[in-house]
Amino acid sequence: MNIEETLTHLDSYLKEFPKKNEIYFSLVNLYLKQNQFDKAIAAMDQIETVFGKNESVIGTKYDILLRQNKPEEALKVLEDYNKEYSSPYVLTKLGDHTLAEYKDSLALGYYKEALDLQADYMPAMLGEAEVYRIRRNYDSFFNVIGKFADDGQIDPQTKSQYMGMLLQRSEPRLIQNFKPRIDSLYDTMVLRHPKDSSILKSAGMYFYATERTGKAKTLFRKNMDENPGSVDATLTYLQMLGSMSDWDSMVQASDSAFARFPQETDFLDMKIAALYNKKDWQGVIDNSRRIIEAAAGDTSVTIPALANIGDMYHEMGNEEEAFKVYKQVLKANPNYSPTLNNYAYYLSLKGKSLKKARDMSKKTIEKEPDNPTYLDTYGWILHLLGKDKDAKAVFKHAMIYGGKESSTCMEHYAEVLDSLGETDLAKVYRAQAAKRKLEEEK
């Protein structure tokens, strides 16, 4: 049934059941979907005639008129209702409307009137706070937000979302100048909602962003412990450990996480990242095999894990086993770029099977033409094959797309330039490579 047919049916239902307000609202929604705003307003007027005025009707009419770009008529709808009835909802709408028109004194009056009717009405509370923030009356602002943070009736997710938006849209000076007071807001929310994941995560992210990593770690750990069934809470804690380079704790926490969520192989990936940073190559191999076993049949997971094993054998100096694994990977997926690149590059380091290496490397840049790592490999192989002009073009492209972030890539480019007799430019890139290498080693 299309929209027109539905409208026809609803009209007939209204004639039969004129007191069913849900039919009117269904009509309004359909009119709005078709941008028939005048008909939607007419339907709202009919609702008002049959059922009387109420907040829901007034709020909907207000929103429709705004969509019609009729702000003055929209405001009048609110004002007319406010003359007859007392409503925190409508008063707050009036406050929001007038604040958007930069009439902050009038807006503040509406918010205060709403709060006189209902002291804990959260939208009015936040509107009042926004006026104080705009005026830079921070004592009053923090006084209001302090009550908001400590109100046990307000949904904790609303609190965390508000604080996130506040910090995003505020000037950096607000955080710098009032850090202790913002700290206090988060501490208050954590005390009020000690097990809520949204609060604990929000507070943790705030303290991490303001470089209090120890406190952030404690909050993320608490979030994980208080919400043991939450994958997100556990993942966030592990990410925190990784950002702190706490590899030993990350290994232990990853094992614990995988034991609780045996279908989530991402936790084994995180353990692998920690083991890699610990240079525990055998540990990476063992956990890659665990991933292959846990995700049997899912090639999007098992192929990268198998490729990891090949890379680790190469790190351990077992080149023969590494190449054997690479062949297994490429048999399963002949176009798997990371292995094509690594296999090609390692062959180039040996100076063997260079044409085979070139063909593998060419596949990677056909798939990802702006990947500087793949461009470096391809350009270097072309150089080894004596095609320095072609190699130069590849390296110039690499320099545009991130090649200058790699000392190896710039060293290779310098070698190519030397081969072409461009020694002055080669010296420039060799100096940049040396500088970058020092940065990489820090």
Side-chain angles (χ1 to χ4, degrees):
M1 186 183 297
N2 59 36
I3 290 178
E4 290 298 333
E5 290 174 337
T6 303
L7 285 169
T8 301
H9 280 285
L10 287 173
D11 283 332
S12 65
Y13 290 155
L14 271 180
K15 292 174 184 177
E16 190 173 352
F17 306 104
K19 295 290 186 179
K20 283 189 173 289
N21 65 352
E22 62 267 24
I23 300 177
Y24 288 100
F25 280 106
S26 295
L27 273 171
V28 170
N29 288 331
L30 286 172
Y31 287 140
L32 292 176
K33 283 182 180 179
Q34 293 190 308
N35 293 326
Q36 296 183 27
F37 299 118
D38 289 337
K39 289 185 177 181
I41 287 290
M44 295 305 302
D45 288 339
Q46 185 66 20
I47 294 172
E48 197 172 308
T49 300
V50 175
F51 302 101
K53 291 184 178 181
N54 61 59
E55 292 179 350
S56 177
V57 171
I58 295 304
T60 302
K61 286 180 72 172
Y62 171 79
D63 292 338
I64 294 170
L65 288 166
L66 284 185
R67 288 179 66 177
Q68 289 183 282
N69 196 27
K70 296 179 178 179
E72 292 180 3
E73 290 183 39
L75 179 60
K76 189 174 186 305
V77 166
L78 299 178
E79 289 174 336
D80 288 347
Y81 184 87
N82 191 51
K83 290 174 184 176
E84 296 184 62
Y85 306 96
S86 296
S87 164
Y89 170 77
V90 171
L91 284 163
T92 301
K93 282 268 193 185
L94 282 164
D96 294 343
H97 188 105
T98 50
L99 185 60
E101 293 180 337
Y102 306 103
K103 300 173 183 177
D104 54 293
S105 295
L106 185 57
L108 185 60
Y110 284 128
Y111 293 136
K112 285 187 174 295
E113 191 176 346
L115 291 169
D116 285 340
L117 293 173
Q118 185 178 329
D120 61 350
Y121 188 63
M122 184 265 294
M125 194 183 296
L126 295 183
E128 181 186 19
E130 184 64 10
V131 172
Y132 293 139
R133 189 186 72 84
I134 290 170
R135 291 179 170 182
R136 299 189 179 182
N137 181 351
Y138 292 117
D139 284 337
S140 296
F141 170 77
F142 281 108
N143 182 50
V144 174
I145 295 302
K147 295 175 185 176
F148 166 76
D150 197 35
D151 191 327
Q153 301 304 310
I154 295 176
D155 175 53
Q157 192 166 2
T158 298
K159 294 181 182 182
S160 60
Q161 288 174 346
Y162 172 78
M163 290 300 297
M165 288 189 294
L166 171 68
L167 296 177
Q168 283 180 358
R169 69 186 184 190
S170 296
E171 297 177 2
R173 285 184 301 175
L174 178 70
I175 301 175
Q176 294 168 3
N177 296 340
F178 298 98
K179 189 181 289 183
R181 299 184 80 164
I182 298 173
D183 291 357
S184 180
L185 291 176
Y186 277 106
D187 289 341
T188 296
M189 290 192 296
V190 170
L191 284 171
R192 176 60 68 180
H193 309 282
K195 297 184 179 182
D196 185 81
S197 187
S198 66
I199 292 292
L200 292 168
K201 183 177 180 179
S202 175
M205 291 177 70
Y206 163 70
F207 285 108
Y208 179 73
T210 51
E211 300 180 351
R212 271 79 60 81
T213 54
K215 187 162 186 175
K217 179 181 176 181
T218 299
L219 287 162
F220 287 135
R221 176 61 189 260
K222 180 178 174 64
N223 186 25
M224 181 180 71
D225 291 342
E226 295 289 357
N227 299 279
S230 169
V231 172
D232 180 70
T234 302
L235 189 63
T236 303
Y237 176 61
L238 284 164
Q239 289 170 336
M240 177 80 234
L241 294 175
S243 71
M244 296 175 69
S245 301
D246 189 350
W247 308 124
D248 290 333
S249 296
M250 192 171 173
V251 167
Q252 294 174 6
S254 297
D255 271 333
S256 174
F258 187 64
R260 284 185 285 123
F261 305 103
Q263 302 303 316
E264 299 290 338
T265 56
D266 284 349
F267 292 123
L268 287 181
D269 280 326
M270 299 186 85
K271 181 179 179 181
I272 284 172
L275 291 167
Y276 183 86
N277 280 283
K278 285 166 60 68
K279 301 189 186 302
D280 183 353
W281 315 135
Q282 186 60 52
V284 173
I285 290 172
D286 293 342
N287 280 276
S288 296
R289 286 177 174 150
R290 289 175 71 190
I291 289 177
I292 292 169
E293 183 180 351
D298 185 351
T299 55
S300 67
V301 175
T302 58
I303 287 177
L306 186 60
N308 263 344
I309 293 173
D311 293 340
M312 292 308 100
Y313 276 127
H314 194 274
E315 290 287 352
M316 294 166 72
N318 191 342
E319 200 169 72
E320 181 180 350
E321 195 63 30
F323 288 175
K324 188 187 298 183
V325 174
Y326 288 154
K327 288 174 183 176
Q328 291 174 2
V329 172
L330 296 176
K331 184 178 180 181
N333 182 355
N335 297 309
Y336 187 64
S337 294
T339 293
L340 285 169
N341 177 75
N342 290 354
Y343 194 4
Y345 186 64
Y346 295 145
L347 284 173
S348 76
L349 293 181
K350 289 172 65 67
K352 299 173 84 174
S353 304
L354 291 178
K355 290 183 179 179
K356 175 182 177 180
R358 177 199 60 198
D359 293 343
M360 287 193 292
S361 181
K362 188 176 181 182
K363 281 187 177 182
T364 68
I365 63 165
E366 286 173 346
K367 192 173 180 181
E368 297 182 47
D370 300 329
N371 185 312
T373 300
Y374 297 167
L375 289 165
D376 174 40
T377 298
Y378 188 56
W380 185 242
I381 293 170
L382 290 175
H383 164 68
L384 295 175
L385 287 168
K387 297 182 178 295
D388 287 312
K389 287 185 179 180
D390 293 338
K392 179 184 176 182
V394 172
F395 278 112
K396 283 181 71 175
H397 190 74
M399 292 303 114
I400 296 171
Y401 290 96
K404 291 180 180 179
E405 299 300 312
S406 165
S407 61
T408 300
C409 189
M410 287 191 287
E411 286 171 353
H412 286 165
Y413 190 22
E415 288 288 330
V416 169
L417 291 169
D418 267 334
S419 298
L420 292 169
E422 299 181 39
T423 54
D424 288 342
L425 189 56
K427 287 178 183 177
V428 171
Y429 276 100
R430 197 164 276 116
Q432 289 182 10
K435 182 180 178 182
R436 182 62 188 164
K437 195 165 191 176
L438 289 173
E439 293 172 355
E440 292 169 352
E441 290 172 352
K442 285 182 181 178

